[in-house]
Amino acid sequence: MENKTNPANLGAVVSVRGSVVDIRFDAHLPPIYSLLHAKDGKIAIEVLAQLDAHSVRGIALTPTEGLVRGSAVEDTGGPLKAPVGKGILSRMFDVFGNAIDRQAAPADVQWRSVHQDPPALERRSTKSEIFETGIKAIDVLVPLERGGKSGLFGGAGVGKTVLLTEMIHNMIEHQKGVSVFCGIGERCREGEELYSGMQAAGVLPNMVMVYGQMNEPPGSRFRVGLTALTMCEYFRDDEHRDVLLLIDNIFRFIQAGMEVSGLMGQMPSRLGYQPTMGTELSGLEERIANTDTGAITSIQAVYVPADDLTDPAAVHTFSHLSTSIVLSRKRASEGLYPAIDLLQSNSKMATPGIVGDHHYLLAQEIRRTLAQYEDLKDIIAMLGLEQLAPEDRKVVARARRLERFLTQPFFATEQFSGIKGKLVSLKDSLDGCERILHDEFKDYPESALYMIGAIDEAKKPAAKQQPEPKPKSEVEHAPTGAHAS
C-alpha cells in the first residue's frame, strides 16, 4: 500500500489529543486524505486538515496508545486503500483491507483508493427496474429499485438486522449477484453470527463482509463505508455484475462523522450533529448507482434515535432514498413479523408506469383498507366491533386478514421460531392480497393466514396451521426480538 518509489517523507508528532494528532513535516506537506503511519505501521492516521505550511492535523484510525510528542511519522504517499478482485469473495475485512476471518491474506487482489468520485451522469442508467426480494410486504407495497437506495428505519430491537440478513439470503440464492455487507459501528457478535449463518446457508462464496466495529475509533468507523463501496464498484465496473450492498447501520456512519467533527474542533450544528453532515452523507450515497455496466442496489438499516423520524440524521438519509421501509414497535409487539408499518413506508417505484396498473391499483386498495381500519380502531376500542356498520365490519375483517397474510416466516429466524422460511414470488403475493380483498377467505380464521407463504397454504388442514400469538405477547416472541437489532 505504501508508495516506495519516492524517498520516505518523514514528520514528527507535535501533539496527541485522543484520536487527534498534529504532525510537522519539514520537507513535503502531505495532501488531505493522505494515510500516515507511526510506530512502525501500527498506528494509522488520515490527514484531514493542513494547519500551516509545515503542519497537518489528522484523525487516528487505530488506537493511539504509545504515541508521544516527537514520534516519527511516515507519509505512505497515498490515501487509504481497499483490496479489490475475485480473491476478496467469501472473506471478512476491516477498514484497512486486512482479513479478520482468521485465514491467510487474500491472493490475487489490487489495491484502490477508497476516495472515488461518483459515476458521471452520462454513465448512469435512466431506466427504472424493480428489484424483487421474495418478501411479500416489501414486494407488494414498497417495491425496491434496482440500483436504488432503500432505508430500513426503526428503533432498537424491531428487526432491522434480521430483515437485512433475510434479504442477503434471498438475493444470493435467486439473483446470483454479489452481496457486500458493511457493518458500521455494530456489535462484533453480530458479525460472527452473520458469517456463521451465511456459511451454513451456503451463500458465502458470493459475499464479502467489511466491519468497523463498535469498539473501534471513530475515524475507522467513518471510513469503513467507503472501503465497502470501493469493493462494490470493482464488481460493478470491472466484472459487470449486479451488487447488493447492505449497510448496517448508516446512522453509525453519521454518528462517527459527528465524533470526528467534534474531535477536529468544528462548531456543532442542530442537535449536536456535524455541520458537514449533508456533504459527507452525499459523498457516500451518490456512489451507489445503476450504470451501463451494472448496478449497486443498497439496503441500509437506519437507527432512528428515540423513534423520532424528524431527527436530522433520519431526515438527511430520507432525501437519498427511493424506498423507505419503516419498522413499527407496535407491530413487533403484536407478533406481526416483518414488523413493517405498511402505511408509513413508501416507495417511489410504486407508480403505474413502473409496476403496472394492476399492481398499482391493488397496492392502493390495500393501503385504503388498512387506513380505514386504522381510523376505526378508536371506535372499536370504545364501543366494540359489534357497534360498527356491516360494511365497516367487512373492512376490518379484510384489513386484519391482510395484516396476517403479509407476515412471513424467515430463513434467518428458523432456529428461533422453528418455522421453515418461505420465499414468495411477486405474482403469488399479489394474487393472495387480491383474493383477500374479494372476501374469498372471509370464512377462514385470521390465524390461518398468519406466517404462511402463498395464499393457498391457508387452505391446509387447521392442525397444520401455525398458531397466531395473542396481542402484546412480547414474551412469546422474545427470541426473535432479542436477535433483532
Side-chain angles (χ1 to χ4, degrees):
M1 281 168 62
E2 295 182 19
N3 185 351
K4 296 294 184 187
T5 55
N6 298 326
N9 182 27
L10 295 175
V13 172
V14 176
S15 69
V16 184
R17 297 183 306 284
S19 289
V20 179
V21 185
D22 288 358
I23 303 146
R24 180 177 177 84
F25 285 87
D26 291 320
H28 171 67
L29 200 65
I32 301 290
Y33 297 146
S34 291
L35 188 67
L36 315 177
H37 280 164
K39 303 285 284 183
D40 296 324
K42 291 176 186 165
I43 297 175
I45 303 160
E46 186 177 55
V47 176
L48 289 187
Q50 294 177 333
L51 302 179
D52 55 42
H54 292 286
S55 301
V56 296
R57 178 167 292 166
I59 195 92
L61 307 182
T62 51
T64 54
E65 282 92 352
L67 197 63
V68 296
R69 200 179 301 171
S71 294
V73 178
E74 184 181 359
D75 177 11
T76 63
L80 178 65
K81 293 182 180 176
V84 297
K86 286 189 171 67
I88 66 171
L89 286 171
S90 81
R91 304 300 302 274
M92 190 189 288
F93 299 96
D94 63 10
V95 66
F96 303 105
N98 300 320
I100 53 171
D101 51 7
R102 297 182 183 172
Q103 297 179 38
D108 188 29
V109 295
Q110 309 162 23
W111 293 85
R112 289 187 186 170
S113 167
V114 302
H115 300 282
Q116 303 283 352
D117 291 329
L121 282 175
E122 63 265 22
R123 282 194 56 214
R124 291 179 183 245
S125 170
T126 54
K127 188 176 164 192
S128 294
E129 297 175 63
I130 296 301
F131 197 76
E132 208 174 306
T133 65
I135 298 169
K136 291 182 282 191
I138 293 175
D139 289 343
V140 173
L141 290 172
V142 278
L144 307 187
E145 178 186 10
R146 179 178 175 269
K149 297 174 273 281
S150 307
L152 281 176
F153 289 81
V158 292
K160 295 185 299 298
T161 303
V162 169
L163 199 50
L164 281 185
T165 309
E166 184 70 7
M167 286 186 187
I168 293 172
H169 181 277
N170 293 358
M171 294 310 141
I172 295 180
E173 286 272 294
H174 299 276
Q175 302 278 354
K176 307 302 178 197
V178 178
S179 276
V180 177
F181 184 90
C182 177
I184 305 178
E186 290 300 295
R187 304 166 188 84
C188 54
R189 72 160 174 83
E190 290 182 343
E192 195 279 327
E193 282 173 7
L194 183 69
Y195 185 83
S196 305
M198 295 300 108
Q199 199 167 31
V203 296
L204 205 55
N206 282 308
M207 193 170 175
V208 186
M209 298 183 206
V210 190
Y211 278 94
Q213 293 165 22
M214 205 177 258
N215 62 330
E216 294 185 26
S220 172
R221 287 180 272 126
F222 189 46
R223 289 296 180 228
V224 72
L226 302 184
T227 300
L229 256 175
T230 306
M231 295 174 177
C232 291
E233 287 166 342
Y234 163 80
F235 289 113
R236 180 191 67 192
D237 300 337
D238 293 41
E239 294 207 359
H240 299 183
R241 295 175 75 175
D242 281 359
V243 186
L244 179 68
L245 170 62
L246 299 117
I247 300 177
D248 188 8
N249 184 305
I250 199 70
F251 172 77
R252 307 280 179 217
F253 168 78
I254 294 171
Q255 194 177 43
M258 178 167 58
E259 291 175 52
V260 169
S261 173
L263 288 167
M264 293 295 289
Q266 293 180 342
M267 184 73 76
S269 180
R270 187 169 156 233
L271 295 189
Y273 287 104
Q274 64 271 42
T276 51
M277 175 168 70
T279 310
E280 289 165 3
L281 190 60
S282 300
L284 180 82
E285 299 282 9
E286 287 303 301
R287 288 169 63 180
I288 300 167
N290 187 357
T291 69
D292 48 8
T293 55
I296 299 175
T297 302
S298 174
I299 301 168
Q300 306 167 10
V302 186
Y303 168 71
V304 181
D307 291 349
D308 176 18
L309 290 171
T310 64
D311 186 89
V315 170
H316 274 264
T317 307
F318 262 124
S319 65
H320 290 280
L321 305 174
S322 54
T323 306
S324 301
I325 300 168
V326 180
L327 298 179
S328 153
R329 197 172 301 282
K330 184 172 177 293
R331 283 179 65 84
S333 71
E334 291 171 2
L336 299 173
Y337 291 104
I340 297 169
D341 189 320
L342 300 168
L343 294 175
Q344 271 203 310
S345 304
N346 63 77
S347 169
K348 291 173 183 169
M349 296 293 100
T351 62
I354 297 170
V355 297
D357 289 333
H358 175 250
H359 184 162
Y360 173 74
L361 293 171
L362 189 58
Q364 291 299 95
E365 182 63 28
I366 294 167
R367 285 183 184 278
R368 194 158 39 245
T369 304
L370 294 172
Q372 284 176 275
Y373 175 42
E374 200 63 36
D375 292 341
L376 292 168
K377 276 183 178 175
D378 287 344
I379 299 171
I380 296 168
M382 288 186 290
L383 304 174
L385 191 62
E386 296 74 23
Q387 300 302 315
L388 294 179
E391 193 51 48
D392 285 343
R393 281 210 292 274
K394 284 183 184 174
V395 168
V396 170
R398 284 179 206 133
R400 287 179 64 83
R401 281 167 176 76
L402 279 170
E403 280 185 340
R404 277 142 190 79
F405 175 63
L406 292 173
T407 62
Q408 191 165 339
F410 280 175
F411 295 97
T413 56
E414 279 180 9
Q415 57 180 315
F416 300 103
S417 63
I419 316 169
K420 190 163 172 53
K422 299 278 171 65
L423 187 96
V424 188
S425 70
L426 176 60
K427 182 175 175 291
D428 286 343
S429 303
L430 293 173
D431 176 56
C433 292
E434 191 167 27
R435 288 163 71 181
I436 290 169
L437 288 169
H438 290 158
D439 288 336
E440 185 179 325
F441 291 84
K442 68 176 193 288
D443 297 326
Y444 285 76
E446 292 170 3
S447 59
L449 297 164
Y450 178 71
M451 284 293 171
I452 62 171
I455 192 75
D456 288 328
E457 290 180 31
K459 295 185 174 180
K460 289 180 182 176
K464 293 184 183 174
Q465 298 299 342
Q466 172 62 25
E468 183 185 352
K470 297 177 180 67
K472 298 179 184 173
S473 60
E474 294 179 33
V475 177
E476 289 177 31
H477 284 264
T480 312
H483 183 57
S485 81

